[in-house]
Structures are given as C-alpha cells and as structure tokens.
C-alpha cells in the first residue's frame, strides 16, 4: 500500500509550470512554482510544520498545548493542519483587512480566530501582533511561533523550497523572484540557491506602503513609506528577522491595482487560479524579466496561494470596479455584449426555403447587412447584402429563388468568454459571429456591437 500517515506529509514537491502567454515578451523562460498545490493551498504549509516540529524538539510545545499566531490566514492553515495531525489547539489573531473567506477557512479546520484592527501600529495593544503576544502570556502551555522572527520559517525554505527548485531546474535557474512578507520564502530559498550558484539573482517583490525596498536601497527605515495597502501577505511595516537583506539583490514594488489585474490574467491566460500576492509576484517578476533576462535564462517565480480566498475581492467584478481596478485593458466579453441586450432579443435570420427577396426585405427592415440562414434550429449558412447585390445584378430572377441556393458559409460560433479584442480579430475574416447564451439562444455579434462597446 502507498499512503501518507497524515495530510502534512503531502506538503512540498510542488510543480514548476511554464508561463506562456504572459511571458511572451521575455527572453529566456519564466517558471511559476505553484504553491497552492500544498494541502493547505499555500506556501506557508512548509514553514508552519517546520515551526511546530522545531518547537517540539526544543521542548517549547508539549502534548495538549495551544498554538497562538498572528497570521494573514495561510500560516494559520498550515499550523491548523499540523495541529490536527499532532493534537494541539490553535488560536489565530488576524487583521480585519483579511478576507472573510480566510477566516472561515481557518474556523473550518478547527481554529479559533480573533479579529483585530488593521490601521493601528504594531506596538498598539489592539494590533494582531500584540494580541497574539498577550494571549501567549495568558494561556498556560501555549506556544507563539511568531513567523516573523522564528528562523524555522527561513529554514523550511532553505531545506525544501530552494532544493526543489534547484533539482527541478537541473541547476539551470538564473533568477529567483518571490514576494516578501515575513521574508522566509525569499530568504530561505535564495540562500540555498546562491550557495549552489552565487550568480543566481534574487528579486524581492514588495508593495507600495511597505518599508522593504527603501530599506534595502538606503538602509533607512522610513516611516513615511508606511501607509495602508490592500494586497494580502506581502510588504511589512516592520523588519522581520526572517528578512535577510544580504540574499535579496533588489526589490520591485507593485501596486494593489497592478497586482489585482495580473492575478486575474494568471487565472484567465495561464489557468493558474491564484491569490492576490501571486499577481504582485508575477507583475514584479515580469517587469524585471522584460528588462533583464537574456536568451537561455531561467526565472522561477513563487506563486504563494490559491484564488478561492480572493473570490470576493480580485475575482469579483463589482469589487474591482468599486476600487477603480477595472480599466479598458480588461476588455468586455461576448457574454457582456449579449447581457446588455433586451431579454426579449430574437436573432434575425432567413429560413431555408425563404426567397432571396424576402430575406433582403428583412435585412432592410432591421437595418443590417447580413443574416444567418437557418434550417429549423440549425445554422446552415448566411447571406449578406454585397454578395446578393452582385448576384441580382447578374440575374434579377435570383430574387425569387430560395436563399439556401445562394447563401455563403455560416458565421463562426465563438465562446461567451471571448474578449472583444479577440472577437474583433475574428470579425476580420467573418462578417458576423454567433454565440450561444446560457439558455442556448443564439445571438449574432457584428462589428457594430464591438464599436458600441468601445465607444459608447
Ligand atoms: C499570500 C501570501 N503571499 C506571500 C507571502 C510572503 O511570504 P513570506 O512570508 O515567506 O515572505 C505570504 C506570507 O504571509 C502570504 O500569505
């Protein structure tokens, strides 16, 4: 039999997946390390288990103990899985900017969650750092892993993430990019990779509103750099011990908006349904890669977590619009075009057996230049005014003949999710396009629809 003794043995050995569409303009190749394939759906499983096991070895966590941590959700999930496997209780403090989904997920795996205000300084007794410390002091036999300053965090990545990347790229990695929150992922992996090959370049991804980039570049901890931002998991207003600036060569900062847009593109264009900070990591990594990678270079980018936790945020169109994150670059789709139509929309068409004259009259009445030809519910062809005109000039009697004798090829069917830039491309070779709505009703899409969507 082949089985794992508990779910935590499934952590690690995540795949590298080539980025195709998004990295088209990059010389060399860009590979994503897809950490949502860990059982807790994030990179944090690795260090959570390591922190628990190291604490057991050091006698800091004893049977029946309670694990208390300030976590943005993912570390909590890893700790909760370790706690279930090993029989501990978990209490997590979280800031109220974290998504509700993240809190619900932690409660689902048996943890108690304490929600704390975001916009207070870390020293404030109400901050999620302070509340975690206080609970640790108050609850007997409790262990506070403190992912920020616990070096088991970096060690987990030094022992697993780094070696996996080295093994899976057969030592060909030239660039490594990862978001920096506690710093464990970046610094543990980069330290290992640089020990194998000192020429590996590491690029840390930071957010606007965080202190890391300026600190790396100037050595100054600038309080003016700190302001609230929304991306979850990366950037800090403190300098955690796990951030070892000596193994990070440079930082790229990414805005909440650019991260959100890139997150959605990762899902749509690469099939990687990932979390918001994955958009930050990829946006920053691609910006760096476009400017710096050469033919033959291999960049590995860590994508830390899964998209489900962000369904109410970056994957929600209304939320994106409310935050000013949707823009023209995000084209509408065939679905949007037909959704804007009246519910009593009926596609105009010519029936098999109908005369050419009758079909022309129909087109003139509704002011369109082409219509499909249908045989019961099947689209069998199309007619358009230019071609019919040429035929009639040749032989006026054609007007009394059946449309199917003179029809052209049927319009192309497209999917509901095709964006209007793609539809416009198809319309170069097709006078109109057809799409089935969710009720199976057929709609025609023409150049006029695209123009209206873009200009009106
Ligand atoms: C979603 C997400 N992305 C990125 C990170 C950053 O990883 P690290 O804390 O190892 O720097 C975290 C850390 O909390 C995270 O939760």
């Amino acid at each position: 039999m082949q089985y794992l003794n508990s779910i935590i043995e499934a952590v690690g050995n995540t795949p590298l997946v080539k980025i195709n569409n998004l990295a088209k303009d990059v010389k060399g190749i860009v590979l994503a390390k897809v950490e949502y394939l860990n059982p807790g759906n994030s990179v944090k499983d690795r260090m959570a288990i390591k922190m628990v096991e190291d604490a057991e070895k050091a006698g800091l966590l004893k049977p029946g103990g309670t694990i208390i941590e300030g976590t943005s959700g993912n570390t909590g999930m890893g700790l909760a899985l370790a706690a279930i496997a090993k029989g501990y209780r978990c209490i997590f403090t979280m800031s109220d900017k974290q998504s509700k989904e993240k809190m619900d997920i932690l409660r689902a795996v048996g943890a108690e969650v304490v929600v704390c205000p975001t916009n207070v300084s870390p020293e404030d007794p109400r901050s999620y750092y302070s509340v975690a410390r206080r609970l640790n002091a108050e609850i007997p036999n409790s262990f506070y892993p403190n992912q920020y300053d616990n070096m088991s965090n970096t060690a987990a990545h030094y022992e697993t993430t780094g070696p996996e990347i080295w093994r899976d790229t057969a030592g060909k990695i030239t660039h490594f990019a990862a978001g920096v929150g506690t710093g464990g992922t970046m610094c543990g992996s980069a330290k290992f990779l640089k020990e194998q090959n000192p020429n590996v370049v590491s690029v840390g991804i930071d957010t606007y509103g965080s202190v890391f980039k300026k600190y790396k570049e100037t050595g100054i901890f600038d309080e003016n750099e700190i302001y609230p931002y929304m991306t979850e998991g990366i950037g800090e207003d403190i300098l955690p011990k796990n951030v070892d600036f000596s193994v990070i060569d440079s930082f790229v900062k990414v805005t909440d908006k650019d991260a959100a847009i890139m997150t959605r593109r990762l899902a749509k264009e690469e099939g990687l349904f990932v979390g918001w900070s994955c958009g930050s990591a990829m946006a920053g990594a691609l910006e760096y890669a476009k400017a710096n990678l050469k033919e033959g270079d291999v960049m590995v980018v860590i994508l830390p977590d899964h998209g489900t936790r962000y369904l109410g945020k970056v994957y929600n169109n209304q939320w994106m619009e409310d935050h000013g994150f949707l823009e023209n670059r995000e084209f509408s789709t065939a679905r949007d075009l037909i959704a804007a139509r009246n519910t009593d929309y009926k596609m105009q068409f010519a029936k098999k057996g109908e005369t050419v004259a009758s079909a022309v009259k129909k087109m003139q009445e509704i002011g369109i230049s082409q219509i499909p030809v249908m045989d019961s519910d099947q689209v069998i062809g199309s007619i358009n005014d230019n071609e019919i005109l040429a035929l009639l000039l040749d032989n006026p009697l054609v007007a009394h003949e059946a449309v199917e004798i003179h029809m052209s090829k049927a319009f192309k069917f497209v999917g509901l999710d095709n964006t209007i830039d793609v539809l416009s491309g198809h319309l170069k070779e097709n006078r109109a396009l057809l799409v089935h709505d969710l009720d199976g009703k057929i709609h025609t899409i023409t150049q006029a629809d695209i123009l209206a969507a873009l200009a009106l």
Side-chain angles (χ1 to χ4, degrees):
M1 291 193 288
Q2 193 187 338
Y3 62 87
L4 305 173
N5 291 304
S6 82
I7 192 64
I8 62 173
E9 287 183 7
V11 173
N13 283 313
T14 51
L16 292 178
V17 177
K18 183 164 179 266
I19 298 300
N20 295 304
N21 289 327
L22 295 174
K24 272 205 292 263
D25 303 333
V26 174
K27 300 201 180 78
I29 64 170
V30 178
L31 303 172
K33 188 155 173 70
V34 184
E35 289 295 304
Y36 69 64
L37 288 165
N38 282 304
N41 287 157
S42 96
V43 67
K44 294 289 183 169
D45 286 2
R46 299 171 183 270
M47 51 74 100
I49 288 157
K50 176 83 176 154
M51 290 195 301
V52 169
E53 291 182 344
D54 286 355
E56 286 173 330
K57 280 186 211 137
L60 298 169
L61 188 53
K62 300 184 194 73
T66 302
I67 300 169
I68 298 171
E69 180 66 316
T71 165
S72 65
N74 290 326
T75 303
M77 186 61 165
L79 287 170
L81 297 187
I84 290 169
K86 293 162 179 287
Y88 301 113
R89 175 187 175 205
C90 280
I91 304 176
F92 300 129
T93 61
M94 281 174 87
S95 69
D96 55 13
K97 81 168 176 185
Q98 304 301 332
S99 54
K100 182 170 176 300
E101 291 94 321
K102 282 187 172 180
M103 300 176 191
D104 290 343
I105 290 166
L106 291 178
R107 291 186 176 118
V109 285
E112 292 154 59
V113 175
V114 182
V115 183
C116 307
T118 306
N119 295 332
V120 295
S121 76
E123 300 77 38
D124 189 295
R126 293 163 299 166
S127 78
Y128 75 97
Y129 309 98
S130 306
V131 175
R133 267 190 221 103
R134 178 171 58 76
L135 290 172
N136 177 223
E138 286 172 7
I139 297 175
N141 194 14
S142 65
F143 167 59
Y144 173 39
N146 183 11
Q147 59 169 330
Y148 295 92
D149 297 333
N150 184 332
M151 297 313 287
S152 302
N153 176 354
T154 293
H157 297 286
Y158 180 82
E159 289 169 15
T160 68
T161 320
E164 288 171 25
I165 293 170
W166 186 253
R167 177 195 69 201
D168 292 346
T169 59
K172 294 196 173 81
I173 178 170
T174 55
H175 295 79
F176 175 66
V180 180
T182 65
T185 310
M186 165 48 93
C187 301
S189 313
K191 183 165 188 283
F192 179 87
L193 294 168
K194 283 173 174 286
E195 280 174 9
Q196 313 313 305
N197 175 2
N199 295 327
V200 171
V201 176
S202 61
V203 184
I205 311 300
D206 195 12
T207 48
Y208 285 87
S210 154
V211 294
F212 293 142
K213 185 170 194 285
K214 173 130 189 204
Y215 188 82
K216 168 75 190 176
E217 290 167 5
T218 63
I220 296 166
F221 182 91
D222 186 353
E223 302 249 344
N224 294 324
E225 289 281 301
I226 302 171
Y227 54 86
Y229 57 88
M230 288 184 289
T231 314
E232 298 168 29
I234 63 168
E236 286 301 337
D237 48 6
I238 53 171
L239 293 177
K241 284 208 183 82
N242 278 290
V243 182
D244 173 0
F245 287 93
S246 73
V247 296
I248 310 175
D249 295 309
S250 62
F251 278 95
V252 178
K253 279 202 184 211
V254 178
T255 62
D256 289 332
K257 177 179 178 174
D258 289 346
I261 290 169
M262 182 58 80
T263 306
R264 291 160 66 102
R265 293 191 64 192
L266 278 162
K268 279 202 179 131
E269 297 177 41
E270 304 291 336
L272 291 164
F273 180 45
V274 291
W276 195 350
S277 74
C278 301
S280 319
M282 191 53 73
L286 289 176
E287 181 187 319
Y288 184 93
K290 281 176 192 162
N292 296 289
L293 259 59
K294 304 184 302 298
E295 244 13 283
D297 281 351
V298 177
M299 176 182 248
V300 173
V301 186
I302 300 280
L303 299 185
D305 70 351
H306 195 248
T308 28
R309 293 165 170 138
Y310 308 89
L311 276 177
K313 293 193 171 179
V314 296
Y315 290 109
N316 179 305
N317 285 347
Q318 190 58 51
W319 185 93
M320 287 289 284
E321 216 162 293
D322 292 347
H323 289 82
F325 289 173
L326 278 187
E327 52 184 40
N328 286 343
R329 263 195 282 160
E330 280 258 323
F331 290 120
S332 23
T333 59
R335 185 191 302 275
D336 301 321
L337 294 184
I338 65 176
R341 288 177 176 165
N342 286 337
T343 44
D344 55 5
Y345 168 84
K346 270 192 86 171
M347 184 185 70
Q348 301 296 333
F349 59 89
K351 276 200 211 92
K352 184 179 173 199
E354 197 172 334
T355 62
V356 169
S358 150
V360 168
K361 188 158 171 259
K362 216 176 246 172
M363 288 198 290
Q364 293 212 315
E365 272 167 13
I366 47 181
I368 53 175
S369 1
Q370 63 280 308
I371 49 174
V373 179
M374 308 271 295
D375 180 7
S376 118
D377 60 356
Q378 293 295 312
V379 181
I380 54 168
S382 68
I383 56 165
N384 67 72
D385 51 11
N386 280 346
E387 287 174 13
I388 294 293
L389 176 64
L391 286 171
L392 287 171
L393 283 173
D394 224 3
N395 174 10
L397 292 178
V398 160
H400 307 293
E401 291 176 0
V403 276
E404 67 269 27
I405 303 173
H406 299 289
M407 69 189 181
S408 313
K409 72 175 173 70
F411 302 140
K412 185 184 171 75
F413 269 98
V414 293
L416 275 175
D417 287 321
N418 275 300
T419 46
I420 55 176
D421 51 334
V422 175
L423 298 176
S424 167
H426 288 312
L427 281 168
K428 293 202 177 94
E429 286 129 24
N430 299 271
R431 298 180 60 98
L433 300 170
L434 299 173
V435 62
H436 282 287
D437 68 15
L438 291 177
D439 298 320
K441 203 155 82 175
I442 303 174
H443 292 244
T444 320
I445 292 177
T446 64
Q447 203 80 52
D449 295 303
I450 311 281
L451 264 178
L454 287 172
L456 302 181

